[in-house]
Amino acid sequence: MTTSTPWDRGPVTAGPAWQALAAHAREVGGETIRGLFAADHGRTSRMTIEAAGVHADLSKHRATERTLRLLVALAEERGLPDRIDAMVSGARINTTENRSVLHTALRAPRGASLVVDGEDVVEEVHASLDRMSAFAERVRGDEWRGSTGRPIRAVVNIGIGGSDLGPVMSYRALRHLSRRDMVFRFVSNVDGTDIAEATFDLDPAETLFIVSSKTFTTQETMTNAHTARSWLRSGLGPDADVAKHFVAVSTNAVEVEAFGIDPAAMFGFWEWVGGRYSMDSAIGLSLMLAIGPAGFRDLLAGFHAMDEHLRRTDLDANLPVLMGLLGVWYRGFFGAQTHVVLPYDQYLERFPAYLQQLTMESNGKSVRLDGGPVDVDTSAVWWGEPGTNGQHSFFQLLHQGTALVPADFIFFAQPVNDVGDHHDKLISNVLAQAHVLAYGRTADELRAEGVPEHLLAHKVMPGNRPSTTLMLDRLTPHALGSLVALYEHVVLTQGVVWGVNSFDQWGVELGKVMAGRLLPALQADDVPDLSGVDASTASLALRYRALRGR
Ligand code: F6P
């Protein structure tokens, strides 16, 4: 059954814009990136965009200016401008959960105002930031001390999904700005190895746990939080005041209190912040402890700058919109199954993992807002690794494999660690890879280089493989904020075109329910109840029990 919402646009293929793109794809399908450059010397300058400190070169795409115009027409037909307005003004565009989607309010400047349901959400955001800042200063200034009076030297964030990936990605990205006399660890997996390894060399007297969970009911996080409390008690003695070693970040004050954390040690946020859009809320507390409140505010300013670009720039010059639309183009008309993100910066080692949740939990959907089936392929599989490491593993497939994999290259002009000529070498590699993907190497060129005939077919590089290059000046909190907001808005653009709700995640629920049913069967002392479980799963569960001596 379908239910209508104000934002429904029906099946995307039914509209004239998709049909026009399909016809255009047939026309330009045979064109090569080489050919497009040869035919148009001004292509790079016209297809380069500056947005919030991001210099983006979109010219190495299998797209002409007409392609971009047709894609923009598609975005208009699907109602993207209205949806951007609806989102930033607090309309309940997350229709299946009846929630606003207001992560842009998390970085609105102090003094701005946005009243939703009678509350000024920007005022609340800044009140929360002020509390976080005061706390961070106390910990960083050795005023907040552990139960034995020792200052905090280790911070462990316990969370999973959006309550982990944002904190760990951003900490790793900005650790050059962090307090180097403190350690920061991130525990997410319910596998006991994660917390065991994160704590094995820590001194409980100097350790602060941040339990980060929007719901405060997530199995992995609550299990790790209980284990952390036992670890503290066994290290500090049963009478220790463990409250000095725990704070919570959550929207669920009731569960936080039930766990035993004083609401005064809880940093709240709001149901209108989705988990994967939350790293700039109180969920970023561990990052703020690492880089300080001023650094965190610089991060928020970077997010806000990209939000402003999204809101105030025409679609045909709007970076997140064009990047999102190019993704739709390759997914819809070139059969691209995956999209690779290649940061040429070791500090961005967790950025691809962060983007995996952002993109795939948002747009890995097959049902439209109105409940009808989507009629085109939705989210690509996103993946990636920092360069240059990837060059020595999977780049072979990018260059000569049978799959078309659009790529995003990301790098910073200024090195954080200016060691010898490492940085120039790094940048020569990123530029080389994007060039070679686009241009390849023909048999004639190889022949002219003296490559023997029997190797020609093996050495031909087909080229014509599209990429976006994003260059930023320096890896600052501001730059990171702009980059993350850029991809948030890529996701919004794609979700609107495909017609899905990018802000729910119903597909993750059933697995949680099933694990909840299987756990007692794995742990039962007597005959396990495996009724309702398929034969394969039941057999594996029984074998597991036998191996565990149960
Ligand atoms: O299971 C998926 C999910 O709900 C994500 O969307 C979320 O980021 C993660 O779990 C963690 O949820 P919470 O912050 O409520 O613990």
Side-chain angles (χ1 to χ4, degrees):
M1 198 184 106
T2 61
T3 44
S4 91
T5 81
W7 298 288
D8 290 334
R9 290 290 189 283
V12 63
T13 56
W18 191 273
Q19 296 304 329
L21 274 162
H24 175 70
R26 285 192 292 275
E27 275 160 38
V28 300
E31 302 249 18
T32 63
I33 298 174
R34 264 187 196 229
L36 293 172
F37 273 104
D40 176 3
H41 294 290
R43 177 177 170 84
T44 299
S45 61
R46 284 201 313 283
M47 295 179 80
T48 296
I49 292 180
E50 302 288 338
V54 181
H55 174 95
D57 180 351
L58 305 179
S59 63
K60 292 195 195 77
H61 276 286
R62 291 170 69 169
T64 62
E65 284 184 278
R66 179 165 158 71
T67 317
L68 298 185
R69 271 202 305 280
L70 291 172
L71 285 167
V72 165
L74 175 68
E76 277 161 355
E77 184 182 290
R78 301 299 287 171
L80 180 61
D82 285 353
R83 196 80 69 81
I84 293 171
D85 285 347
M87 180 178 82
V88 300
S89 59
R92 293 176 186 261
I93 66 168
N94 177 355
T95 48
T96 61
E97 296 179 313
N98 192 27
R99 288 180 183 163
S100 305
V101 175
L102 272 174
H103 43 276
T104 50
L106 296 170
R107 50 268 190 157
R110 196 187 289 280
S113 165
L114 176 64
V115 178
V116 177
D117 297 336
E119 306 285 342
D120 188 339
V121 295
V122 180
E123 207 174 291
E124 290 180 23
V125 162
H126 283 274
S128 165
L129 281 169
D130 289 344
R131 273 194 71 221
M132 288 166 64
S133 302
F135 174 71
E137 297 293 18
R138 286 185 68 199
V139 174
R140 288 163 60 90
D142 296 347
E143 256 180 71
W144 176 289
R145 288 177 180 252
S147 55
T148 65
R150 302 244 296 275
I152 298 299
R153 284 293 166 268
V155 174
V156 182
N157 184 75
I158 298 177
I160 197 163
S163 302
D164 166 70
L165 286 163
V168 68
M169 178 279 289
S170 55
Y171 167 70
R172 297 262 175 94
L174 299 172
R175 67 186 184 274
H176 54 286
L177 302 174
S178 77
R179 280 279 297 263
R180 296 294 199 166
D181 59 338
M182 295 173 73
V183 299
F184 294 86
R185 302 258 166 94
F186 299 84
V187 173
S188 54
N189 201 331
V190 77
D191 181 344
T193 294
D194 208 5
I195 192 152
E197 286 292 337
T199 52
F200 91 99
D201 58 347
L202 298 184
D203 181 344
E206 298 185 341
T207 300
L208 175 75
F209 289 96
I210 305 176
V211 186
S212 298
S213 174
K214 181 173 173 180
T215 54
F216 230 73
T217 56
T218 304
Q219 184 203 47
E220 292 90 334
T221 300
M222 299 325 298
T223 305
N224 280 319
H226 281 103
T227 302
R229 189 158 58 191
S230 308
W231 177 83
L232 277 170
R233 286 211 174 111
S234 63
L236 297 172
D239 301 330
D241 183 3
V242 293
K244 298 248 166 64
H245 299 266
F246 265 104
V247 295
V249 180
S250 186
T251 57
N252 190 344
V254 174
E255 287 295 332
V256 168
E257 208 168 348
F259 177 81
I261 294 179
D262 184 346
M266 167 176 155
F267 297 88
F269 59 114
W270 307 271
E271 64 161 29
W272 42 259
V273 183
R276 53 195 176 272
Y277 300 88
S278 67
M279 61 167 272
D280 45 340
S281 71
I283 289 290
L285 184 62
S286 52
L287 178 69
M288 188 189 270
L289 285 164
I291 67 170
F296 197 82
R297 283 177 193 272
D298 191 33
L299 176 94
L300 297 181
F303 271 99
H304 181 66
M306 189 59 78
D307 295 344
E308 287 294 286
H309 171 83
L310 173 80
R311 293 178 62 183
R312 308 204 185 282
T313 312
D314 292 342
L315 297 190
D316 60 2
N318 197 309
L319 182 59
V321 170
L322 292 178
M323 283 176 64
L325 289 171
L326 284 164
V328 169
W329 171 238
Y330 294 118
R331 194 82 184 97
F333 301 102
F334 291 78
Q337 305 261 9
T338 81
H339 187 108
V340 70
V341 178
L342 303 163
Y344 274 64
D345 194 297
Q346 191 60 30
Y347 284 119
L348 291 189
E349 63 193 321
R350 292 298 281 163
F351 194 58
Y354 174 81
L355 289 186
Q356 287 183 318
Q357 187 198 12
L358 180 64
T359 56
M360 295 196 276
E361 201 173 72
S362 296
N363 286 338
K365 313 273 166 73
S366 41
V367 169
R368 294 194 313 265
L369 282 181
D370 65 6
V374 293
D375 52 337
V376 293
D377 285 325
T378 59
S379 180
V381 174
W382 288 63
W383 59 291
E385 272 291 313
T388 57
N389 295 359
Q391 290 174 208
H392 299 272
S393 66
F394 56 80
F395 270 51
Q396 165 64 39
L397 180 150
L398 299 185
H399 287 296
Q400 287 187 317
T402 51
L404 178 81
V405 186
D408 293 350
F409 291 98
I410 304 172
F411 68 94
F412 300 90
Q414 315 296 341
V416 171
N417 298 293
D418 200 359
V419 184
D421 66 352
H422 284 240
H423 199 64
D424 293 339
K425 285 179 175 155
L426 178 73
I427 304 311
S428 67
N429 273 282
V430 63
L431 297 178
Q433 291 300 326
H435 167 78
V436 171
L437 280 173
Y439 272 67
R441 191 56 111 228
T442 65
D444 284 346
E445 287 167 340
L446 290 166
R447 235 179 242 116
E449 288 166 13
V451 173
E453 283 299 316
H454 73 279
L455 282 180
L456 278 183
H458 297 280
K459 294 192 112 180
V460 163
M461 302 280 280
N464 211 19
R465 299 180 180 221
S467 67
T468 295
T469 301
L470 304 176
M471 185 182 351
L472 296 90
D473 184 42
R474 185 185 295 276
L475 178 44
T476 58
H478 192 285
L480 184 68
S482 303
L483 262 185
V484 174
L486 169 62
Y487 282 96
E488 287 178 349
H489 304 327
V490 165
V491 167
L492 171 75
T493 300
Q494 298 188 337
V496 169
V497 170
W498 290 321
V500 301
N501 180 357
S502 303
F503 305 104
D504 62 11
Q505 56 285 318
W506 298 107
V508 303
E509 296 305 325
L510 184 56
K512 295 181 192 174
V513 172
M514 201 61 210
R517 276 199 217 142
L518 282 167
L519 182 61
L522 297 182
Q523 294 180 327
D525 289 334
D526 46 13
V527 183
D529 177 8
L530 285 163
S531 53
V533 169
D534 70 86
S536 159
T537 308
S539 156
L540 290 165
L542 291 173
R543 174 85 180 141
Y544 170 82
R545 283 176 58 89
L547 289 172
R548 298 295 309 267
R550 293 175 193 156

